[in-house]
Each structure stands twice: as C-alpha cells, then as structure tokens.
Amino acid sequence: MAYDPENIFAKILREEIPCDKVYEDGTALAFRDINPQSPVHVLVIPKGPYESMDDFSENAPDAEIAGFFRAVGTVARQLGVAEAVGGDGYRFLANTGRDAHQEVPHFHVHIFAGRDLGGMIRRA
Ligand code: 5GP
C-alpha cells in the first residue's frame, strides 16, 4: 500500500491543520492526542512519509530511525513523565495494521502517562 499524503498527520506536518505541539526536531514532531486516553497522551511521528512501524523499520535510513527513537525518549523526559526526571513512568506503543486498530496511516508512537496504566493488554 502506498503512503497516502492526505492522511491527517501528513496534513499536520504540512501545517494545513493545527496541533498542540510539544516537541519538534529535524526528524520528529510530537503533539497531544485530540482524544486523550490518559492525563498525558502525546503522539510522536517521524517527519518522513512512513505509513506504519512495518514501513518505517524496513525503509527508513538508520539515522532517521535513531533520531526518531531518541526523540521519543526526549519527549517523555521533557513531559516530566520519565523516571529519569522524577516522573512515574509511561507506556509507549505503536498500533500497526488491522488487528491493532491503526487508524491513521502515518507511523506514530503513543506516549501514555499520568495515571496507573493497568495491565499490558485487555481482551476485546
Ligand atoms: P491509532 O489508532 O492510529 O494508533 O491512533 C490514532 C490517534 O490519532 C488516535 O488516538 C486519535 O485520537 C488521534 N487523532 C486522530 N485525528 C487527530 C487529529 O486531527 N489531531 C490529533 N492531535 N490527534 C488525532
């Protein structure tokens, strides 16, 4: 499946629609989820056109992969949720494909924090 440049996160990257930005560097953009599932719910996306973790891990250059995952850690520390900066921790996940209910076809990592996040996964 080809990357869809009209997906909502591509529009956010092009600043065609606004976002509540919390971090940006040359590789990644982070902004608050519009429908938060925890007191802190931030999305981190690469600036490159990758539709999923599958696509990103297979096709992104090593420097982009390293830069992106460093950005995820930086965002968690900047938000104050990482234990390294006195926070209580966080969960990050990337829904990938149908069974994971990935809604937006631009690779993104969710950072959830700000409450006890419970067990790892719940049966549907
Ligand atoms: P997925 O299910 O693809 O892993 O998650 C997509 C996420 O994007 C959802 O948590 C949803 O609330 C969020 N989202 C969808 N549209 C927008 C938007 O226009 N702005 C922001 N900030 N988040 C969005």
Side-chain angles (χ1 to χ4, degrees):
M1 201 171 86
Y3 179 79
D4 173 12
E6 296 308 314
N7 78 75
I8 199 88
F9 294 169
K11 291 180 179 176
I12 286 175
L13 280 167
R14 293 196 298 267
E15 299 184 344
E16 291 169 10
I17 63 170
C19 72
D20 185 358
K21 181 163 71 176
V22 299
Y23 177 83
E24 182 172 16
D25 64 21
T27 306
L29 174 71
F31 51 91
R32 294 191 190 276
D33 195 290
I34 204 166
N35 182 24
Q37 304 297 308
S38 52
V40 176
H41 184 174
V42 166
L43 301 167
V44 190
I45 70 174
K47 289 189 167 177
Y50 305 102
E51 65 180 32
S52 67
M53 176 62 186
D54 280 341
D55 186 13
F56 187 66
S57 60
E58 190 173 0
N59 296 315
D62 288 357
E64 217 170 317
I65 292 173
F68 177 76
F69 282 100
R70 283 204 190 281
V72 174
T74 298
V75 170
R77 289 188 296 277
Q78 185 180 296
L79 291 167
V81 300
E83 290 186 336
V85 295
D88 292 321
Y90 61 94
R91 176 171 296 156
F92 83 94
L93 69 80
N95 292 318
T96 308
R98 281 186 303 278
D99 274 2
H101 295 231
Q102 180 178 356
E103 288 170 14
V104 180
H106 182 111
F107 174 46
H108 52 282
V109 164
H110 297 253
I111 294 178
F112 302 103
R115 65 169 167 80
D116 185 327
L117 295 163
M120 187 162 66
I121 198 163
R122 193 179 55 203
R123 235 172 243 284

PDB file of all heavy atoms in Angstrom, residues 8-9 12 17 31-35 41 43 95 101-104 108 110, ligand 1:
ATOM      1  N   ILE A   8      -4.293  12.469   7.988  1.00  0.00           N
ATOM      2  CA  ILE A   8      -4.409  13.619   8.891  1.00  0.00           C
ATOM      3  C   ILE A   8      -3.059  14.064   9.459  1.00  0.00           C
ATOM      4  O   ILE A   8      -2.827  15.266   9.645  1.00  0.00           O
ATOM      5  CB  ILE A   8      -5.436  13.301  10.012  1.00  0.00           C
ATOM      6  CG1 ILE A   8      -5.945  14.557  10.695  1.00  0.00           C
ATOM      7  CG2 ILE A   8      -4.895  12.337  11.006  1.00  0.00           C
ATOM      8  CD1 ILE A   8      -7.120  15.156  10.042  1.00  0.00           C
ATOM      9  N   PHE A   9      -2.147  13.131   9.706  1.00  0.00           N
ATOM     10  CA  PHE A   9      -0.850  13.521  10.271  1.00  0.00           C
ATOM     11  C   PHE A   9       0.036  14.182   9.205  1.00  0.00           C
ATOM     12  O   PHE A   9       0.839  15.064   9.521  1.00  0.00           O
ATOM     13  CB  PHE A   9      -0.145  12.337  10.927  1.00  0.00           C
ATOM     14  CG  PHE A   9      -0.856  11.812  12.152  1.00  0.00           C
ATOM     15  CD1 PHE A   9      -0.469  10.611  12.735  1.00  0.00           C
ATOM     16  CD2 PHE A   9      -1.911  12.505  12.737  1.00  0.00           C
ATOM     17  CE1 PHE A   9      -1.109  10.119  13.866  1.00  0.00           C
ATOM     18  CE2 PHE A   9      -2.575  12.021  13.860  1.00  0.00           C
ATOM     19  CZ  PHE A   9      -2.164  10.819  14.425  1.00  0.00           C
ATOM     20  N   ILE A  12      -1.057  17.642   9.321  1.00  0.00           N
ATOM     21  CA  ILE A  12      -0.476  18.329  10.492  1.00  0.00           C
ATOM     22  C   ILE A  12       0.979  18.701  10.186  1.00  0.00           C
ATOM     23  O   ILE A  12       1.419  19.819  10.467  1.00  0.00           O
ATOM     24  CB  ILE A  12      -0.608  17.443  11.750  1.00  0.00           C
ATOM     25  CG1 ILE A  12      -2.076  17.445  12.226  1.00  0.00           C
ATOM     26  CG2 ILE A  12       0.336  17.919  12.858  1.00  0.00           C
ATOM     27  CD1 ILE A  12      -2.372  16.523  13.395  1.00  0.00           C
ATOM     28  N   ILE A  17      -3.496  21.680   9.097  1.00  0.00           N
ATOM     29  CA  ILE A  17      -4.385  21.692  10.254  1.00  0.00           C
ATOM     30  C   ILE A  17      -3.512  21.833  11.510  1.00  0.00           C
ATOM     31  O   ILE A  17      -2.354  21.417  11.509  1.00  0.00           O
ATOM     32  CB  ILE A  17      -5.313  20.450  10.337  1.00  0.00           C
ATOM     33  CG1 ILE A  17      -4.506  19.172  10.495  1.00  0.00           C
ATOM     34  CG2 ILE A  17      -6.230  20.353   9.132  1.00  0.00           C
ATOM     35  CD1 ILE A  17      -5.382  17.988  10.823  1.00  0.00           C
ATOM     36  N   PHE A  31       2.903  15.877  19.425  1.00  0.00           N
ATOM     37  CA  PHE A  31       1.751  16.737  19.737  1.00  0.00           C
ATOM     38  C   PHE A  31       0.738  15.939  20.544  1.00  0.00           C
ATOM     39  O   PHE A  31       0.742  14.707  20.533  1.00  0.00           O
ATOM     40  CB  PHE A  31       1.121  17.290  18.446  1.00  0.00           C
ATOM     41  CG  PHE A  31       0.795  16.245  17.401  1.00  0.00           C
ATOM     42  CD1 PHE A  31      -0.439  15.628  17.359  1.00  0.00           C
ATOM     43  CD2 PHE A  31       1.761  15.864  16.467  1.00  0.00           C
ATOM     44  CE1 PHE A  31      -0.732  14.662  16.405  1.00  0.00           C
ATOM     45  CE2 PHE A  31       1.479  14.901  15.506  1.00  0.00           C
ATOM     46  CZ  PHE A  31       0.229  14.303  15.471  1.00  0.00           C
ATOM     47  N   ARG A  32      -0.139  16.663  21.254  1.00  0.00           N
ATOM     48  CA  ARG A  32      -1.112  15.995  22.122  1.00  0.00           C
ATOM     49  C   ARG A  32      -2.218  15.356  21.288  1.00  0.00           C
ATOM     50  O   ARG A  32      -2.689  15.929  20.305  1.00  0.00           O
ATOM     51  CB  ARG A  32      -1.703  16.992  23.125  1.00  0.00           C
ATOM     52  CG  ARG A  32      -0.627  17.484  24.087  1.00  0.00           C
ATOM     53  CD  ARG A  32      -1.159  18.262  25.271  1.00  0.00           C
ATOM     54  NE  ARG A  32      -0.041  18.878  25.962  1.00  0.00           N
ATOM     55  CZ  ARG A  32       0.724  18.274  26.881  1.00  0.00           C
ATOM     56  NH1 ARG A  32       0.468  17.038  27.247  1.00  0.00           N
ATOM     57  NH2 ARG A  32       1.740  18.920  27.434  1.00  0.00           N
ATOM     58  N   ASP A  33      -2.621  14.147  21.719  1.00  0.00           N
ATOM     59  CA  ASP A  33      -3.703  13.430  21.044  1.00  0.00           C
ATOM     60  C   ASP A  33      -5.008  14.208  21.236  1.00  0.00           C
ATOM     61  O   ASP A  33      -5.292  14.720  22.317  1.00  0.00           O
ATOM     62  CB  ASP A  33      -3.827  12.012  21.620  1.00  0.00           C
ATOM     63  CG  ASP A  33      -4.653  11.109  20.731  1.00  0.00           C
ATOM     64  OD1 ASP A  33      -5.885  11.304  20.643  1.00  0.00           O
ATOM     65  OD2 ASP A  33      -4.061  10.183  20.117  1.00  0.00           O
ATOM     66  N   ILE A  34      -5.806  14.272  20.199  1.00  0.00           N
ATOM     67  CA  ILE A  34      -7.055  15.027  20.236  1.00  0.00           C
ATOM     68  C   ILE A  34      -8.099  14.353  21.136  1.00  0.00           C
ATOM     69  O   ILE A  34      -9.038  14.999  21.592  1.00  0.00           O
ATOM     70  CB  ILE A  34      -7.591  15.195  18.780  1.00  0.00           C
ATOM     71  CG1 ILE A  34      -8.494  16.416  18.671  1.00  0.00           C
ATOM     72  CG2 ILE A  34      -8.286  13.948  18.277  1.00  0.00           C
ATOM     73  CD1 ILE A  34      -8.774  16.829  17.233  1.00  0.00           C
ATOM     74  N   ASN A  35      -7.935  13.066  21.382  1.00  0.00           N
ATOM     75  CA  ASN A  35      -8.893  12.293  22.193  1.00  0.00           C
ATOM     76  C   ASN A  35      -8.109  11.513  23.253  1.00  0.00           C
ATOM     77  O   ASN A  35      -7.963  10.296  23.174  1.00  0.00           O
ATOM     78  CB  ASN A  35      -9.672  11.348  21.272  1.00  0.00           C
ATOM     79  CG  ASN A  35     -10.713  10.554  22.007  1.00  0.00           C
ATOM     80  OD1 ASN A  35     -11.194  10.957  23.081  1.00  0.00           O
ATOM     81  ND2 ASN A  35     -11.080   9.405  21.462  1.00  0.00           N
ATOM     82  N   HIS A  41      -1.229  12.198  27.016  1.00  0.00           N
ATOM     83  CA  HIS A  41      -1.330  11.329  25.828  1.00  0.00           C
ATOM     84  C   HIS A  41      -0.782  12.126  24.644  1.00  0.00           C
ATOM     85  O   HIS A  41      -1.441  13.029  24.128  1.00  0.00           O
ATOM     86  CB  HIS A  41      -2.779  10.913  25.585  1.00  0.00           C
ATOM     87  CG  HIS A  41      -2.945   9.945  24.433  1.00  0.00           C
ATOM     88  ND1 HIS A  41      -4.164   9.362  24.132  1.00  0.00           N
ATOM     89  CD2 HIS A  41      -2.059   9.453  23.519  1.00  0.00           C
ATOM     90  CE1 HIS A  41      -4.010   8.562  23.077  1.00  0.00           C
ATOM     91  NE2 HIS A  41      -2.742   8.609  22.686  1.00  0.00           N
ATOM     92  N   LEU A  43       1.406  12.027  20.880  1.00  0.00           N
ATOM     93  CA  LEU A  43       1.788  11.257  19.702  1.00  0.00           C
ATOM     94  C   LEU A  43       3.126  11.769  19.185  1.00  0.00           C
ATOM     95  O   LEU A  43       3.334  12.988  19.120  1.00  0.00           O
ATOM     96  CB  LEU A  43       0.733  11.422  18.602  1.00  0.00           C
ATOM     97  CG  LEU A  43      -0.681  10.982  18.980  1.00  0.00           C
ATOM     98  CD1 LEU A  43      -1.691  11.482  17.946  1.00  0.00           C
ATOM     99  CD2 LEU A  43      -0.758   9.472  19.117  1.00  0.00           C
ATOM    100  N   ASN A  95       0.357   1.153  17.337  1.00  0.00           N
ATOM    101  CA  ASN A  95      -0.601   0.270  16.686  1.00  0.00           C
ATOM    102  C   ASN A  95      -0.171   0.079  15.238  1.00  0.00           C
ATOM    103  O   ASN A  95       0.161   1.049  14.552  1.00  0.00           O
ATOM    104  CB  ASN A  95      -2.006   0.880  16.749  1.00  0.00           C
ATOM    105  CG  ASN A  95      -2.539   0.919  18.163  1.00  0.00           C
ATOM    106  OD1 ASN A  95      -2.383  -0.043  18.919  1.00  0.00           O
ATOM    107  ND2 ASN A  95      -3.151   2.019  18.548  1.00  0.00           N
ATOM    108  N   HIS A 101      -5.836  -2.049  15.219  1.00  0.00           N
ATOM    109  CA  HIS A 101      -6.732  -0.889  15.042  1.00  0.00           C
ATOM    110  C   HIS A 101      -5.964   0.393  14.740  1.00  0.00           C
ATOM    111  O   HIS A 101      -6.300   1.451  15.269  1.00  0.00           O
ATOM    112  CB  HIS A 101      -7.629  -0.686  16.275  1.00  0.00           C
ATOM    113  CG  HIS A 101      -8.593  -1.798  16.518  1.00  0.00           C
ATOM    114  ND1 HIS A 101      -9.941  -1.611  16.721  1.00  0.00           N
ATOM    115  CD2 HIS A 101      -8.404  -3.144  16.581  1.00  0.00           C
ATOM    116  CE1 HIS A 101     -10.542  -2.778  16.902  1.00  0.00           C
ATOM    117  NE2 HIS A 101      -9.628  -3.727  16.823  1.00  0.00           N
ATOM    118  N   GLN A 102      -4.934   0.291  13.924  1.00  0.00           N
ATOM    119  CA  GLN A 102      -4.250   1.523  13.491  1.00  0.00           C
ATOM    120  C   GLN A 102      -5.225   2.326  12.643  1.00  0.00           C
ATOM    121  O   GLN A 102      -5.736   1.844  11.627  1.00  0.00           O
ATOM    122  CB  GLN A 102      -2.990   1.187  12.677  1.00  0.00           C
ATOM    123  CG  GLN A 102      -2.257   2.453  12.203  1.00  0.00           C
ATOM    124  CD  GLN A 102      -0.980   2.173  11.423  1.00  0.00           C
ATOM    125  OE1 GLN A 102      -0.563   1.016  11.276  1.00  0.00           O
ATOM    126  NE2 GLN A 102      -0.364   3.222  10.912  1.00  0.00           N
ATOM    127  N   GLU A 103      -5.478   3.567  13.079  1.00  0.00           N
ATOM    128  CA  GLU A 103      -6.464   4.412  12.385  1.00  0.00           C
ATOM    129  C   GLU A 103      -5.801   5.359  11.387  1.00  0.00           C
ATOM    130  O   GLU A 103      -6.377   5.644  10.340  1.00  0.00           O
ATOM    131  CB  GLU A 103      -7.238   5.264  13.402  1.00  0.00           C
ATOM    132  CG  GLU A 103      -8.214   4.482  14.251  1.00  0.00           C
ATOM    133  CD  GLU A 103      -8.770   5.311  15.396  1.00  0.00           C
ATOM    134  OE1 GLU A 103      -8.601   6.553  15.369  1.00  0.00           O
ATOM    135  OE2 GLU A 103      -9.349   4.717  16.311  1.00  0.00           O
ATOM    136  N   VAL A 104      -4.663   5.891  11.759  1.00  0.00           N
ATOM    137  CA  VAL A 104      -4.018   6.897  10.905  1.00  0.00           C
ATOM    138  C   VAL A 104      -2.803   6.257  10.226  1.00  0.00           C
ATOM    139  O   VAL A 104      -1.887   5.781  10.910  1.00  0.00           O
ATOM    140  CB  VAL A 104      -3.585   8.127  11.736  1.00  0.00           C
ATOM    141  CG1 VAL A 104      -2.910   9.162  10.827  1.00  0.00           C
ATOM    142  CG2 VAL A 104      -4.783   8.754  12.447  1.00  0.00           C
ATOM    143  N   HIS A 108       3.180   6.335  13.958  1.00  0.00           N
ATOM    144  CA  HIS A 108       3.156   7.168  15.165  1.00  0.00           C
ATOM    145  C   HIS A 108       3.279   6.290  16.391  1.00  0.00           C
ATOM    146  O   HIS A 108       2.837   5.149  16.408  1.00  0.00           O
ATOM    147  CB  HIS A 108       1.884   8.010  15.252  1.00  0.00           C
ATOM    148  CG  HIS A 108       0.613   7.227  15.107  1.00  0.00           C
ATOM    149  ND1 HIS A 108       0.152   6.795  13.880  1.00  0.00           N
ATOM    150  CD2 HIS A 108      -0.285   6.791  16.027  1.00  0.00           C
ATOM    151  CE1 HIS A 108      -0.979   6.131  14.049  1.00  0.00           C
ATOM    152  NE2 HIS A 108      -1.263   6.097  15.340  1.00  0.00           N
ATOM    153  N   HIS A 110       2.363   6.318  20.466  1.00  0.00           N
ATOM    154  CA  HIS A 110       1.602   6.957  21.537  1.00  0.00           C
ATOM    155  C   HIS A 110       2.455   6.945  22.811  1.00  0.00           C
ATOM    156  O   HIS A 110       3.054   5.918  23.138  1.00  0.00           O
ATOM    157  CB  HIS A 110       0.332   6.172  21.862  1.00  0.00           C
ATOM    158  CG  HIS A 110      -0.655   6.073  20.751  1.00  0.00           C
ATOM    159  ND1 HIS A 110      -1.849   6.774  20.739  1.00  0.00           N
ATOM    160  CD2 HIS A 110      -0.648   5.334  19.609  1.00  0.00           C
ATOM    161  CE1 HIS A 110      -2.536   6.468  19.650  1.00  0.00           C
ATOM    162  NE2 HIS A 110      -1.835   5.583  18.950  1.00  0.00           N
TER     163      HIS A 110
HETATM  164  P1  5GP B   1      -4.066   4.862  16.076  1.00  0.00           P
HETATM  165  O1  5GP B   1      -5.333   4.125  16.384  1.00  0.00           O
HETATM  166  O2  5GP B   1      -3.881   5.051  14.580  1.00  0.00           O
HETATM  167  O3  5GP B   1      -2.878   4.253  16.746  1.00  0.00           O
HETATM  168  O4  5GP B   1      -4.211   6.278  16.745  1.00  0.00           O
HETATM  169  C1  5GP B   1      -4.537   7.452  16.065  1.00  0.00           C
HETATM  170  C2  5GP B   1      -4.675   8.534  17.111  1.00  0.00           C
HETATM  171  O5  5GP B   1      -4.723   9.783  16.457  1.00  0.00           O
HETATM  172  C3  5GP B   1      -5.933   8.437  17.972  1.00  0.00           C
HETATM  173  O6  5GP B   1      -5.558   8.314  19.342  1.00  0.00           O
HETATM  174  C4  5GP B   1      -6.683   9.736  17.674  1.00  0.00           C
HETATM  175  O7  5GP B   1      -7.331  10.282  18.806  1.00  0.00           O
HETATM  176  C5  5GP B   1      -5.577  10.640  17.155  1.00  0.00           C
HETATM  177  N1  5GP B   1      -6.025  11.645  16.209  1.00  0.00           N
HETATM  178  C6  5GP B   1      -6.818  11.454  15.126  1.00  0.00           C
HETATM  179  N2  5GP B   1      -7.002  12.609  14.461  1.00  0.00           N
HETATM  180  C7  5GP B   1      -6.292  13.549  15.138  1.00  0.00           C
HETATM  181  C8  5GP B   1      -6.077  14.950  14.930  1.00  0.00           C
HETATM  182  O8  5GP B   1      -6.573  15.557  13.973  1.00  0.00           O
HETATM  183  N3  5GP B   1      -5.284  15.585  15.825  1.00  0.00           N
HETATM  184  C9  5GP B   1      -4.703  14.945  16.871  1.00  0.00           C
HETATM  185  N4  5GP B   1      -3.950  15.672  17.701  1.00  0.00           N
HETATM  186  N5  5GP B   1      -4.878  13.628  17.109  1.00  0.00           N
HETATM  187  C10 5GP B   1      -5.663  12.941  16.240  1.00  0.00           C
END
